[in-house]
């Protein structure tokens, strides 16, 4: 299933543990895709281990690349974040440049999807790693959304609230801007109601942490997201 039709995705952190039984429930939950990715402790070994395990199922799998060293063939997609509100050039286009110098000649561009990240929780690991110093307000987010949609024509704008539940008004402001660029929402979803709220605003809703603390609640978000459509 093409990632442009994904409504719901689980994000699996290779540095965290899931049992085979839990993984089967996630993969066969009806979710549209699994994203393998994390900010911290991602290695080639733990990415490969998870890849082998998720490949038992037919669900599409994307690797969200956080370190070049952990990239390996075998995924359906490679999601490449560029952090639009980072203060450090390496996270905007520096690592990308280094990777393309080395591997650009052998990349399959049909599998590569650039994500324009807007990090909205300054306390999350991704914010600290990438030098996000201030929380973008609504006007900032609108400007970043326009940057993604019109200036850089990125396929995805990712509102990353990792670890905290987002402000629906701010997500809605971005949603109004984005037409061709798909809106990914991720952060702090712990139940079906929260998932539905963001599913009305975003194209794709991403569920992370709750997988590791309350699997039942995580699984309940699949049906919830699919029961609503993004409002236009
Ligand atoms: C993290 O956006 C995802 O990159 C999901 O966030 O872990 O808070 O669900 P949570």
């Amino acid at each position: 299933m093409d990632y442009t039709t994904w409504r719901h995705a689980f994000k699996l952190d290779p540095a965290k543990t899931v049992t085979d039984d839990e993984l089967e429930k996630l993969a066969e939950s009806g979710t549209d895709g699994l994203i393998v990715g994390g900010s911290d402790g991602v290695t080639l070994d733990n990415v490969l281990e998870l890849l082998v395990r998720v490949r038992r199922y037919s669900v599409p799998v994307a690797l969200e690349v956080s370190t070049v060293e952990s990239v390996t063939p075998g995924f359906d997609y490679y999601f490449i974040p560029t952090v639009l509100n980072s203060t450090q050039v390496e996270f905007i286009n520096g690592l990308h440049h280094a990777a393309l110098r080395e591997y650009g000649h052998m990349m399959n561009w049909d599998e590569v999807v650039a994500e324009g990240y807007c990090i909205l929780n300054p306390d999350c690991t991704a914010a600290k790693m990438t030098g996000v110093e201030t929380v973008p307000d609504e006007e900032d987010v609108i400007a970043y959304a326009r940057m993604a949609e019109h200036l850089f024509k990125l396929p995805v704008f990712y509102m990353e609230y990792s670890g905290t539940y987002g402000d629906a008004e701010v997500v809605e402001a971005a949603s109004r801007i984005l037409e061709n660029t798909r809106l990914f929402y991720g952060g702090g979803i712990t139940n079906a109601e929260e998932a539905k709220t963001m599913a009305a605003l975003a194209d794709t809703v991403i569920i992370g942490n709750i997988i590791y603390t309350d699997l039942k609640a995580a699984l309940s978000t699949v049906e919830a997201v699919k029961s609503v459509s993004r409002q236009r």
Side-chain angles (χ1 to χ4, degrees):
M1 186 174 175
D2 192 284
Y3 87 92
T4 59
T5 61
W6 292 5
R7 287 287 287 144
H8 180 283
F10 284 120
K11 192 181 278 190
L12 299 173
D13 186 339
K16 293 185 182 165
T17 310
V18 272
T19 66
D20 285 343
D21 182 50
E22 289 165 345
L23 198 59
E24 181 173 336
K25 288 195 169 91
L26 291 162
E28 298 193 336
S29 62
T31 189
D32 300 310
L34 302 178
I35 301 171
V36 171
S39 303
D40 222 7
V42 178
T43 65
L44 180 59
D45 281 351
N46 56 27
V47 167
L48 275 172
E49 196 214 313
L50 198 49
L51 173 64
V52 169
R53 292 174 67 204
V54 294
R55 276 303 183 213
R56 292 179 200 150
Y57 308 100
S58 58
V59 64
V61 191
L63 177 65
E64 187 171 61
V65 177
S66 51
T67 63
V68 180
E69 300 73 42
S70 59
V71 177
T72 176
F75 287 89
D76 299 300
Y77 292 108
Y78 296 85
F79 290 170
I80 315 287
T82 171
V83 183
L84 300 176
N85 64 323
S86 170
T87 54
Q88 295 174 17
V89 70
E90 60 182 308
F91 296 104
I92 303 168
N93 70 9
L95 293 169
H96 318 67
H97 177 255
L100 292 178
R101 267 188 69 126
E102 187 86 12
Y103 304 109
H105 63 284
M106 55 192 270
M107 288 173 69
N108 177 353
W109 294 104
D110 294 337
E111 299 170 344
V112 175
V113 182
E115 300 172 311
Y117 252 67
C118 184
I119 300 184
L120 291 129
N121 172 12
D123 298 323
C124 72
T125 311
K128 289 180 183 146
M129 275 180 55
T130 63
V132 168
E133 288 163 3
T134 49
V135 190
D137 65 15
E138 187 171 321
E139 293 305 312
D140 293 323
V141 169
I142 288 172
Y144 284 124
R146 289 193 168 122
M147 191 182 287
E149 169 91 22
H150 297 293
L151 196 60
F152 294 144
K153 303 196 188 310
L154 292 167
V156 171
F157 184 66
Y158 192 135
M159 295 184 74
E160 175 61 288
Y161 281 94
S162 183
T164 52
Y165 189 62
D167 180 336
E169 261 182 48
V170 177
V171 180
E172 190 178 354
S175 184
R176 280 196 299 266
I177 301 293
L178 300 169
E179 284 174 30
N180 296 310
T181 296
R182 294 183 62 76
L183 177 54
F184 281 18
Y185 171 86
I189 291 178
T190 58
N191 60 50
E193 278 315 304
E194 290 169 349
K196 276 187 197 172
T197 301
M198 291 306 172
L201 305 172
D203 293 297
T204 307
V205 175
I206 295 153
I207 310 293
N209 277 316
I210 193 73
I211 295 168
Y212 302 96
T213 53
D214 186 346
L215 184 69
K216 201 165 162 229
L219 294 169
S220 78
T221 63
V222 178
E223 184 59 40
V225 166
K226 298 201 168 198
S227 69
V228 291
S229 347
R230 178 179 164 190
Q231 290 160 12
R232 292 285 185 177

